[in-house]
Amino acid sequence: NRGDRKSIMSTKNIVIIGGGIIGLSIGWQLVKRNFSVTIFDKDSVGKGASWAAAGMLSPLAEVNMQEKDLLQLGLTSAELYPGWVDELEADSQMTVEFQTEGTLIVALDRDDDQELRHHFDLQKLFNLPVEWLDGRSARNIEPALSPRVVSAISCDSDLQVDNRLVIRALKHSFQKFGGNLHEHLGVDRIEISDGTAVGVWAGDNLVKADKIIVSAGCWSSLIEGIPGKLTVRPVKGQMLALQMEDPPIVRKVIHAPDAYLVPRRDGRLLIGATSEEQGFDTQITAGGIFELLRGAWETLPGIYDFPIIETWVGLRPGSRDNAPILGKTEVENLILATGHFRKGILLAPITAQEICALIMTDHTSDVIAPFTPARCAG
Ligand code: GLY
C-alpha cells in the first residue's frame, strides 16, 4: 500500500543495537544497499556469544523433533554460507577459515548408541544426508578416536568457520562501505513516540533513526522500550582450547556425549561447551573445565599431553523456545533479530538476508514468519 511505500522510501537512517555477528551481518548488507547504518555496542564488537562460539555450522548434528522450522532455517542458512563467505572474504580481503570436513557424532557406550540410533532415525525422517557407521568405520575415518567408540553418524555436509575471523572481516567490511561504529557505548532505551520508535538513547544522547534493529543477544531484554516482555536469557557456556601437534589429531568436528571437539586450521582444538543457567555469571569453574576435559579425553585419549592455551566463557542468548526472534514488533519501525541461542553463527546469513528484505519491502517473508516476536509476547 502507499503508506508502506512511503515509509520504505523515507527509511535512511538505521540504528542497530548490538554488534555481534547478527548486528554486523545485517549492517554490512544494509550499507552495501546504501542505507546509513550506525551500530552501537556496549563492548568491542563481537565480544559476546559471537566470540565465544565454536563456529560449527551443524544443522544436521543438532536436530530435534520439535524444531522443524528451525531445522529448515538452519539448512537454508547453511546453503547460503559458501556464497556469503565468498562475498565477505572478497569485501574484507580476509580469510574466515571456512571448512567443509563435516561432523562425526559418536557414541561411547550402549546407552549413547541407543540415543544415537534414535537421533539417526529422526535425521532420516527429515531426509537429511547422514550415514550410520560402526566403531571401526568411524576409526577408519578418524584413527585417533577411542576404541570405546561403538558407533557414529557421519554428517558430511556440516561446515565450520572461525567465528572470530568472521567478526574481524565483518567489522572491516561494514566500515569499508561507510558504516558507523560506536563501540563501548551501549543503548539503554528506545525512544518511542505515538507507538513509533524514533531513536535510541546512547549515553546522554538521543540518536534519531528511521528504523531500529535490536540484535543485542542476551542483553536485549535489558533495553527499555521493547514492547511485551522480551525474554532472552543468558545460557552460560564454558570452553577451552588445546594446542594440537602437527599433523592435527582430527580433521572433522567430533560431537561426543559430553563435549564437542573442533579442530582449527591454526592448530587449536576447541572443546566445548557447558550449558548452565547461571544468569550473567561468567566465572570459569574447575568443575566445568574438568567435565569438558573428561568428555573430550574419553573420546580422543591422545589429547592428554596437549597444552591448554585458552579458557573462556560465553553467554548464549536463549529465547523462551530457544528459537530466534526475528521481525517487526508492535512498535512501528522497531525490529528484533535476537535470541539465536546455540545457532547464531549458522543463522547469520539467513537472518541478515531476511531482515534486509524486511527493511526494503516492509514485508515479513515466509522464511521468518514462524519466528516473529509476537509468539514470545506476554
Ligand atoms: N552451538 C554450540 C553451543 O552452543 O555450545
Side-chain angles (χ1 to χ4, degrees):
N1 78 31
R2 284 178 63 182
D4 285 350
R5 211 171 306 142
K6 199 167 146 226
S7 100
I8 298 158
M9 302 271 291
S10 59
T11 298
K12 292 191 186 69
N13 293 312
I14 297 179
V15 161
I16 299 178
I17 308 172
I21 192 168
I22 299 298
L24 283 171
S25 301
I26 297 169
W28 168 49
Q29 288 301 318
L30 287 174
V31 283
K32 287 186 82 171
R33 290 167 175 78
N34 292 324
F35 288 93
S36 164
V37 184
T38 304
I39 294 181
F40 289 96
D41 196 293
K42 62 170 191 49
D43 201 334
S44 307
V45 289
K47 283 288 161 61
S50 310
W51 183 262
M56 294 177 292
L57 311 172
S58 313
L60 307 194
E62 295 187 357
V63 58
N64 127 13
M65 190 68 192
Q66 282 74 46
E67 297 180 341
K68 234 170 153 177
D69 290 328
L70 191 52
L71 170 66
Q72 193 48 55
L73 195 71
L75 289 170
T76 312
S77 204
E79 271 171 33
L80 295 177
Y81 241 97
W84 190 79
V85 164
D86 282 349
E87 185 181 347
L88 182 58
E89 291 190 331
D91 283 356
S92 63
Q93 294 293 297
M94 293 171 179
T95 176
V96 298
E97 298 288 4
F98 184 54
Q99 287 180 242
T100 57
E101 277 82 356
T103 307
L104 281 184
I105 315 174
V106 303
L108 295 174
D109 60 25
R110 270 187 60 183
D111 279 354
D112 301 339
D113 178 72
Q114 286 307 310
E115 213 175 307
L116 205 60
R117 278 176 202 278
H118 176 70
H119 194 75
F120 185 68
D121 289 345
L122 191 63
Q123 290 175 317
K124 281 294 184 194
L125 195 69
F126 288 141
N127 284 320
L128 301 177
V130 287
E131 191 189 350
W132 182 264
L133 304 172
D134 61 22
R136 184 189 297 242
S137 311
R139 274 183 297 279
N140 280 340
I141 297 171
E142 290 292 0
L145 284 174
S146 161
R148 283 185 54 192
V149 169
V150 288
S151 54
I153 299 171
S154 175
C155 308
D156 260 356
S157 57
D158 277 359
L159 308 165
Q160 188 207 133
V161 281
D162 185 324
N163 38 292
R164 294 179 184 177
L165 297 182
V166 169
I167 289 296
R168 190 181 66 152
L170 280 171
K171 178 180 176 179
H172 182 90
S173 303
F174 174 68
Q175 291 185 301
K176 174 176 156 183
F177 288 99
N180 306 305
L181 198 53
H182 293 286
E183 297 181 280
H184 306 285
L185 185 55
V187 166
D188 309 316
R189 184 154 67 87
I190 295 162
E191 180 73 12
I192 296 169
S193 172
D194 286 338
T196 299
V198 293
V200 299
W201 284 94
D204 293 333
N205 296 321
L206 175 62
V207 180
K208 295 257 175 76
D210 301 311
K211 296 263 185 220
I212 295 157
I213 301 168
V214 178
S215 54
C218 68
W219 295 275
S220 301
S221 303
L222 305 180
I223 300 164
E224 285 179 43
I226 300 173
K229 189 168 174 349
L230 178 65
T231 306
V232 184
R233 71 191 194 288
V235 181
K236 176 179 172 183
Q238 302 188 47
M239 291 193 60
L240 72 147
L242 306 180
Q243 184 65 49
M244 292 187 283
E245 284 162 2
D246 200 19
I249 190 166
V250 276
R251 283 182 316 111
K252 288 179 181 284
V253 171
I254 310 293
H255 259 262
D258 296 323
Y260 51 75
L261 300 100
V262 183
R264 288 278 205 252
R265 289 226 174 98
D266 62 8
R268 286 179 301 147
L269 180 66
L270 313 192
I271 299 175
T274 62
S275 200
E276 305 166 62
E277 303 277 352
Q278 300 276 358
F280 287 93
D281 170 54
T282 53
Q283 287 201 80
I284 295 171
T285 64
I289 297 299
F290 170 74
E291 295 295 347
L292 291 174
L293 281 172
R294 189 179 57 172
W297 168 75
E298 282 174 353
T299 313
L300 219 53
I303 64 169
Y304 196 81
D305 290 320
F306 290 177
I308 296 176
I309 52 174
E310 192 186 343
T311 53
W312 69 96
V313 173
L315 299 174
R316 306 175 184 88
S319 68
R320 284 204 182 112
D321 57 8
N322 293 331
I325 305 170
L326 306 172
K328 293 186 199 183
T329 63
E330 63 197 53
V331 170
E332 192 69 24
N333 295 339
L334 178 62
I335 290 168
L336 303 186
T338 187
H340 290 72
F341 194 41
R342 302 177 71 93
K343 297 186 166 62
I345 310 298
L346 170 65
L347 296 177
I350 191 73
T351 301
Q353 175 181 293
E354 297 302 315
I355 297 295
C356 284
L358 174 61
I359 299 260
M360 304 199 34
T361 64
D362 205 38
H363 171 72
T364 299
S365 70
D366 291 346
V367 178
I368 57 169
F371 304 103
T372 53
R375 81 178 197 286
C376 297

